[in-house]
Amino acid sequence: MDPVTHGLVGATIYNLGFKKKAAFWVLLVSSVAPDIDYITRFWGTDILLRYHRGITHGILALFFVPIIIGAIFGYRKGFFYYTFLAFIGYAAHLLMDLTNQYGTRILSPLDWYQYSLDLIFIFDPYITFGLLLSLVLCKFNKKKAVTIALMTIVLIVSYTGGRYYLHGKTKEFLRETMDYNTYTVCPLPNDFLRWWFIAKSGNEVKVGFADLFTQSVCERGTYVISEQDPFIQLSKETSVVRNFLYFARYPYAEVRRDPERITVLWHELTYSFLPGEHFIAVVIFGNDGKVIHAYFRY
């Protein structure tokens, strides 16, 4: 999820009744703290792609960072109380990130695999504006703030549960409709009954939309994964592509040739429903095989 939504979650947890001095700031800081890894953006977008949702989103950080926050806010009094609150805020962040398809290395450093539930898009206006509305209602009705905050959390959990059900039904529908070995279903922005799918058998990958309402499948492309082209192998030697492949779940390499240069484009098929070219790594070679330029585009 985005940092604003995470901050709103921290504020909502505060309204559950944690009124001790500095509790609001502890929950706010801890709920956005995992995204400190955004600082890697200064070294390049591909560096951010590699390290975002890495060590700061893992179980080691979950137990270590709240202690630091507790020590900062409770160095005189309330260390254990503030550490507990920081743990709640930090854990809420990790759990919410786990629900979308970006992927979270939540078991790092014990396991660097990217886990994702693929239930909610990276930015979900229903959750964000629902949290914002909750805070406004709590502000103007302080006597019922605890009830409002509790109901907000129950609604978010129920909303996530509903999407989990629809996610499962979509996978079931795809298995009945298509003959592939594996199916990955990802959420679309502001949509409930339509999902993006990636179906794979061997080296063949098919992508498209699965619509539960119309009970239909709209195929958007079929790709044969082949990396025999020597320029694809050469592109893997660049740091941009290495960082991209560390992140990508369904990478697909395309080679474009013209008289003056050869371009290798690495696509992440999980996000190929987005208009334009997003989540791609590009390596441009001269005819002599030397890299002219390499970059990543969100």
Side-chain angles (χ1 to χ4, degrees), residues 51-221:
Y51 292 106
H52 181 46
R53 296 198 183 182
I55 190 66
T56 64
H57 287 68
I59 56 173
L60 178 64
L62 174 60
F63 289 98
F64 182 67
V65 177
I67 294 174
I68 297 176
I69 296 174
I72 292 173
F73 286 91
Y75 68 97
R76 290 183 177 177
K77 186 179 180 181
F79 167 75
F80 292 104
Y81 179 80
Y82 289 134
T83 298
F84 172 70
L85 289 188
F87 180 86
I88 293 176
Y90 209 95
H93 183 122
L94 303 191
L95 289 174
M96 292 193 73
D97 277 355
L98 193 61
T99 63
N100 51 66
Q101 76 264 46
Y102 193 93
T104 300
R105 304 183 195 279
I106 196 166
L107 296 181
S108 62
L110 304 178
D111 177 4
W112 292 98
Y113 182 79
Q114 277 194 123
Y115 292 92
S116 55
L117 296 176
D118 300 326
L119 302 179
I120 299 172
F121 193 63
I122 299 169
F123 172 75
D124 190 309
Y126 301 104
I127 293 178
T128 303
F129 291 114
L131 289 166
L132 186 60
L133 177 61
S134 172
L135 294 181
V136 172
L137 292 175
C138 288
K139 180 70 175 180
F140 289 99
N141 196 345
K142 294 182 179 180
K143 291 183 179 180
K144 294 185 177 180
V146 174
T147 302
I148 294 170
L150 182 60
M151 287 302 299
T152 300
I153 292 174
V154 169
L155 287 173
I156 290 176
V157 172
S158 300
Y159 174 77
T160 304
R163 293 195 65 93
Y164 176 81
Y165 172 78
L166 293 172
H167 181 272
K169 295 297 289 184
T170 305
K171 265 194 172 182
E172 182 181 313
F173 169 64
L174 286 170
R175 290 192 186 100
E176 294 172 353
T177 309
M178 305 173 69
D179 185 20
Y180 279 79
N181 291 336
T182 61
Y183 303 88
T184 298
V185 177
C186 298
L188 294 168
N190 306 322
D191 216 324
F192 298 97
L193 297 177
R194 224 169 47 114
W195 298 72
W196 181 253
F197 73 83
I198 306 98
K200 184 178 181 182
S201 280
N203 290 332
E204 183 178 289
V205 178
K206 189 181 294 292
V207 300
F209 299 98
D211 194 322
L212 288 178
F213 181 71
T214 60
Q215 290 290 289
S216 62
V217 172
C218 177
E219 298 177 3
R220 293 298 297 270

Side-chain angles (χ1 to χ4, degrees), residues 235 244 252-256 263-267 277 280-283 295 297:
S235 72
F244 172 82
Y252 170 71
E254 171 191 3
V255 181
R256 298 177 183 175
T263 304
V264 180
L265 296 93
W266 285 90
H267 302 266
E277 293 185 327
I280 63 169
V282 181
V283 183
Y295 63 92
R297 181 188 301 158

Side-chain angles (χ1 to χ4, degrees), residues 121 188-189 196 209 270-279 298:
F121 193 63
L188 294 168
W196 181 253
F209 299 98
T270 307
Y271 296 95
S272 53
F273 62 86
L274 293 170
E277 293 185 327
H278 297 277
F279 287 92
Y298 263 113

Side-chain angles (χ1 to χ4, degrees), residues 12 26-27 31 35 43 46 71-72 83 85 105 123 126 212 214 221 225 228 238 271 275 288:
T12 301
V26 169
L27 284 164
S31 64
D35 283 342
W43 288 271
D46 62 301
I72 292 173
T83 298
L85 289 188
R105 304 183 195 279
F123 172 75
Y126 301 104
L212 288 178
T214 60
I225 307 299
Q228 295 180 356
T238 66
Y271 296 95
D288 57 359

Side-chain angles (χ1 to χ4, degrees), residues 243-258:
N243 291 332
F244 172 82
L245 293 176
Y246 186 73
F247 160 82
R249 297 165 65 185
Y250 289 94
Y252 170 71
E254 171 191 3
V255 181
R256 298 177 183 175
R257 287 178 165 85
D258 60 47

